[in-house]
Amino acid sequence: MNINKRFLYSTVLGLAVLAIGCSKGNADDPLAALLVSPPIISSVTPQIGTPRQNNDNGVYPPTQVVIKGSNFGIDTVVRFNETQAAISANLGTELYTSVPDGVYSGYITVSKAGGSCIAGTASGINCAGTEFFIDCYDATGKQYGSETEIKQGDSKGIVYSGIETKAFRTDVIFGSANLTISCDSIVTVRLFNRSCVATDYILQRDPTIPLPDGYSSQFYVTAGSATCTLKI
């Protein structure tokens, strides 16, 4: 074989080996595949929780959350809406975190290095997400019984036997609204904002309390023996 033929044969063989090696690296290298694949969320447990509550007579820790799935990567970021949450453990297919302070109902998302999630959505680049709901009353174990819903524009008569506390919720969808209470007993109201920070209205006579518009409000009403009318 002359020099020119030997050179041509060596060049072709080298290119063929390089091509095979690159193709195999892209197809079989699990680390490379992990880096280019977006995360996948299969479950979030629980999907309802609370930030830390540190209100008078009501202190509850933040809800611990487990995210299961795949392709989470190493430099993983978990967010509740735009708020980043600390990851206590990353087991590859499971992420352990807790609900940060100030969080409200929206989305929990997982993104990888170089990725980002579009604010207010469950999508983005190298991102996956699902809905997550904040419930301030659920953390108490429903200590005051079932939560009563009062729709905007409606009213309900609530019977109190002795000094009792009852739990309520409402959705203010259209414009602004007030909680108006008419009762033969003085009342105390605890109103939660959407991040479970409480404002107390203590020993009020027939109060009118403004409610934030655009989302759900949860509140407690404590009264003595009486029938109280609550109107939104």
Side-chain angles (χ1 to χ4, degrees), residues 44 47-49 79-83 99 102-109 118-123 129-135 194-195 215:
V44 173
Q47 211 165 341
I48 297 174
R79 286 187 173 89
F80 290 77
N81 300 317
E82 292 80 36
T83 303
V99 180
V103 165
Y104 49 88
S105 294
Y107 293 95
I108 182 173
T109 60
I118 300 171
T121 73
S123 60
T130 188
E131 287 185 304
F132 190 87
F133 302 95
I134 298 299
D135 189 317
R194 60 179 178 169
S195 300
Y215 58 87

Side-chain angles (χ1 to χ4, degrees), residues 1-17:
M1 185 180 294
N2 61 36
I3 295 176
N4 288 337
K5 286 184 178 180
R6 266 196 306 238
F7 176 76
L8 180 61
Y9 176 79
S10 299
T11 302
V12 171
L13 181 61
L15 290 173
V17 171

Side-chain angles (χ1 to χ4, degrees), residues 40-192:
I40 297 172
I41 295 176
S42 58
S43 67
V44 173
T45 307
Q47 211 165 341
I48 297 174
T50 180
R52 178 183 292 102
Q53 294 188 39
N54 192 17
N55 304 307
D56 289 342
N57 303 317
V59 178
Y60 300 95
T63 302
Q64 305 297 305
V65 178
V66 181
I67 306 168
K68 293 185 178 182
S70 57
N71 294 336
F72 288 150
I74 300 171
D75 296 325
T76 312
V77 175
V78 173
R79 286 187 173 89
F80 290 77
N81 300 317
E82 292 80 36
T83 303
Q84 185 170 337
I87 298 174
S88 57
N90 181 349
L91 305 184
T93 58
E94 294 182 2
L95 300 173
Y96 289 77
T97 186
S98 59
V99 180
D101 293 345
V103 165
Y104 49 88
S105 294
Y107 293 95
I108 182 173
T109 60
V110 176
S111 58
K112 294 162 58 173
S116 63
C117 302
I118 300 171
T121 73
S123 60
I125 300 171
N126 264 350
C127 165
T130 188
E131 287 185 304
F132 190 87
F133 302 95
I134 298 299
D135 189 317
C136 308
Y137 184 46
D138 190 66
T140 72
K142 309 290 186 182
Q143 64 177 330
Y144 301 126
S146 299
E147 191 176 39
T148 300
E149 181 180 12
I150 304 176
K151 296 183 181 298
Q152 187 175 4
D154 288 351
S155 63
K156 286 193 175 182
I158 308 297
V159 177
Y160 286 83
S161 301
I163 299 175
E164 289 186 287
T165 299
K166 297 180 183 290
F168 303 88
R169 74 181 302 126
T170 188
D171 293 316
V172 177
I173 301 173
F174 306 107
S176 59
N178 295 315
L179 165 63
T180 302
I181 301 175
S182 299
C183 192
D184 289 336
S185 167
I186 58 173
V187 300
T188 292
V189 179
R190 167 164 287 185
L191 174 65
F192 295 92

Side-chain angles (χ1 to χ4, degrees), residues 24-49:
K24 184 176 181 181
N26 288 336
D28 299 336
D29 185 350
L31 179 59
L34 187 65
L35 291 174
V36 299
S37 300
I40 297 172
I41 295 176
S42 58
S43 67
V44 173
T45 307
Q47 211 165 341
I48 297 174

Side-chain angles (χ1 to χ4, degrees), residues 199-212:
T199 300
D200 291 330
Y201 301 83
I202 300 172
L203 302 179
Q204 304 280 308
R205 175 70 68 181
D206 296 339
T208 296
I209 300 170
L211 299 174

